């Protein structure tokens, strides 16, 4: 555990944090892990880090396809705190949500809500349902809170700006934005919704600390992140 916490303390980019997520997932028997920072209303994510590259854009798709319609259920779930374990029993046999969960490997899932000053601000999630001892659950909570705090600290300092890589999809969206395409045009070309396109742009803006799309495109080019 001390080695993992030391890795967290040394993390300076999102890529470092993703590496720690992969490390702790493997050590406890999970298939992958992710970290989400929510907006205050829980209707959108400010920042998502995921050790499973095949799951890129899954939360945006979850919202865009109408599967996420009631934030009160999410709020109640997160407010319980602790380490929460889920399996396929929470879905109906023919549920659209079950089909989606299978596709992104979150049918079996362990969640660790993150709270600050009495408000839920995010969560850590892990794919799989390995048996965990009470000590391992406590350690998992400590790791998730430490990951969250470290991520916020270097994002606030801006140290990630010049070094944090963009995902392949983020690069595609920003390249097309640089070519002057609108969100609707990019959505048609890449086979996604305009809302998902905008979410990718927002994710890049968050990584770069930029204020609008033009500023985001300019900074991505300046830092050579589209190469």
């Amino acid at each position: 555990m001390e080695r993992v916490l030391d890795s967290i303390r040394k993390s300076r980019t999102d890529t470092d944090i993703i590496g720690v997520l992969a490390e702790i997932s493997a050590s406890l028997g999970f298939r992958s892990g992710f970290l989400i920072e929510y907006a205050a209303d829980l209707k959108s994510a400010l920042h998502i880090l995921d050790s499973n590259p095949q799951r890129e854009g899954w939360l945006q798709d979850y919202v865009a396809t109408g599967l996420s319609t009631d934030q009160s259920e999410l709020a109640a779930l997160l407010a319980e705190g602790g380490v929460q374990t889920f399996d396929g029993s929470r879905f109906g046999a023919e549920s659209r949500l079950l089909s989606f969960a299978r596709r992104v490997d979150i049918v079996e899932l362990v969640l660790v809500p993150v709270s600050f000053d009495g408000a839920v601000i995010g969560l850590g999630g892990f794919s799989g349902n390995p048996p965990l001892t009470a000590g391992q659950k406590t350690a998992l909570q400590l790791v998730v809170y430490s990951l969250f705090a470290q991520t916020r600290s270097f994002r606030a300092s801006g140290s990630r700006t010049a070094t944090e890589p963009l995902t392949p999809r983020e690069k595609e969206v920003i390249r097309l934005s640089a070519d002057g395409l609108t969100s609707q045009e990019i959505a048609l070309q890449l086979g996604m919704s305009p809302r998902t396109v905008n979410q990718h742009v927002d994710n890049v803006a968050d990584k770069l600390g930029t204020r609008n799309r033009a500023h985001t495109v300019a900074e991505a080019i300046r830092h050579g992140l589209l190469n």
Side-chain angles (χ1 to χ4, degrees):
M1 175 56 62
E2 185 56 38
R3 183 172 60 83
V4 172
L5 293 176
D6 186 55
S7 295
I8 294 173
R9 285 191 292 268
K10 292 177 179 177
S11 295
R12 294 296 180 269
T13 69
D14 283 359
T15 301
D16 294 337
I17 295 295
I18 289 170
V20 177
L21 279 168
E23 179 183 357
I24 192 65
S25 296
S27 69
L28 291 177
F30 295 107
R31 292 183 291 274
S32 60
F34 56 86
L35 201 67
I36 301 175
E37 180 181 358
Y38 282 108
D41 58 5
L42 300 180
K43 291 183 179 180
S44 62
L46 299 176
H47 205 56
I48 304 173
L49 300 177
D50 199 328
S51 70
N52 182 353
Q54 304 303 315
R55 202 157 43 201
E56 180 188 344
W58 68 274
L59 189 60
Q60 297 95 314
D61 291 342
Y62 174 66
V63 174
T65 54
L67 291 171
S68 173
T69 57
D70 184 1
Q71 269 25 76
S72 62
E73 183 176 347
L74 174 63
L77 182 151
L78 295 180
E80 292 181 16
V83 176
Q84 304 178 30
T85 302
F86 302 92
D87 58 27
S89 63
R90 70 188 189 279
F91 303 105
E94 303 300 325
S95 167
R96 286 177 61 212
L97 189 55
L98 174 59
S99 176
F100 176 85
R102 283 174 175 158
R103 179 167 64 83
V104 298
D105 192 20
I106 57 170
V107 175
E108 295 179 330
L109 186 65
V110 169
L111 295 180
V112 180
V114 178
S115 300
F116 182 74
D117 281 348
V120 175
I121 56 177
L123 62 83
F126 298 88
S127 296
N129 191 2
L132 298 176
T133 66
Q136 287 173 322
K137 290 181 179 180
T138 299
L140 189 61
Q141 281 187 286
L142 175 59
V143 166
V144 168
Y145 270 80
S146 298
L147 284 167
F148 205 92
Q150 185 69 5
T151 301
R152 277 195 153 189
S153 70
F154 64 64
R155 285 175 57 217
S157 70
S159 61
R160 73 199 188 287
T161 300
T163 58
E164 183 178 349
L166 306 185
T167 67
R169 185 63 87 183
E170 287 170 350
K171 288 182 179 180
E172 286 182 307
V173 169
I174 297 302
R175 284 193 189 107
L176 293 174
S177 295
D179 290 338
L181 274 66
T182 65
S183 292
Q184 183 66 45
E185 292 168 335
I186 294 172
L188 289 173
Q189 185 161 328
L190 298 182
M192 61 178 65
S193 71
R195 181 181 295 180
T196 301
V197 171
N198 291 335
Q199 184 62 61
H200 282 305
V201 174
D202 290 343
N203 289 345
V204 176
D206 183 65
K207 290 179 178 182
L208 298 177
T210 49
R211 297 182 297 276
N212 53 50
R213 182 172 297 205
H215 188 197
T216 300
V217 171
E219 285 298 291
I221 293 172
R222 185 171 74 86
H223 289 295
L225 298 179
L226 303 184
N227 298 333

